[in-house]
Amino acid sequence: MSTIEQRIEFLEESNEALIMQNRVLATAIKGLLRALPADIAELATESIRTAFDNEIAELQYEENPQVELFHDATYAFFHEREH
């Protein structure tokens, strides 16, 4: 196997691991929110939304090319949370 093929394989495995780590973290956060009393869970969810909105604004200000990716991931998190 060539060095390039090994590097691609390594990157693919790393990407899959990161995706699963993110899924684990999202699942943990969702579980924590479900465990909270409804009024506190609502406040926590709004706080998380505000933090995400602030991060998106900062990424936009920095003209970060990954702002759309962050936005899409944020939307997916809350869309899944509401179901």
Side-chain angles (χ1 to χ4, degrees):
M1 185 180 289
S2 75
T3 304
I4 293 175
E5 289 171 335
Q6 290 171 328
R7 179 75 175 146
I8 290 171
E9 185 176 320
F10 171 78
L11 291 172
E12 287 173 343
E13 290 173 2
S14 296
N15 187 50
E16 289 173 9
L18 285 172
I19 289 169
M20 196 53 63
Q21 288 171 356
N22 288 339
R23 189 171 186 166
V24 168
L25 291 172
T27 301
I29 291 169
K30 291 172 189 178
L32 286 171
L33 290 173
R34 278 193 296 270
L36 295 173
D39 59 332
I40 295 174
E42 187 176 331
L43 288 172
T45 299
E46 286 307 312
S47 180
I48 291 168
R49 284 184 195 269
T50 299
F52 283 164
D53 289 344
N54 291 342
E55 186 65 22
I56 288 171
E58 186 173 329
L59 290 170
Q60 288 172 334
Y61 177 78
E62 296 170 352
E63 297 181 3
N64 189 309
Q66 295 182 332
V67 69
E68 289 299 318
L69 182 59
F70 185 87
H71 181 271
D72 292 348
T74 300
Y75 175 81
F77 174 83
F78 281 106
H79 182 70
E80 290 174 11
R81 164 92 175 98
E82 293 167 358
H83 285 78

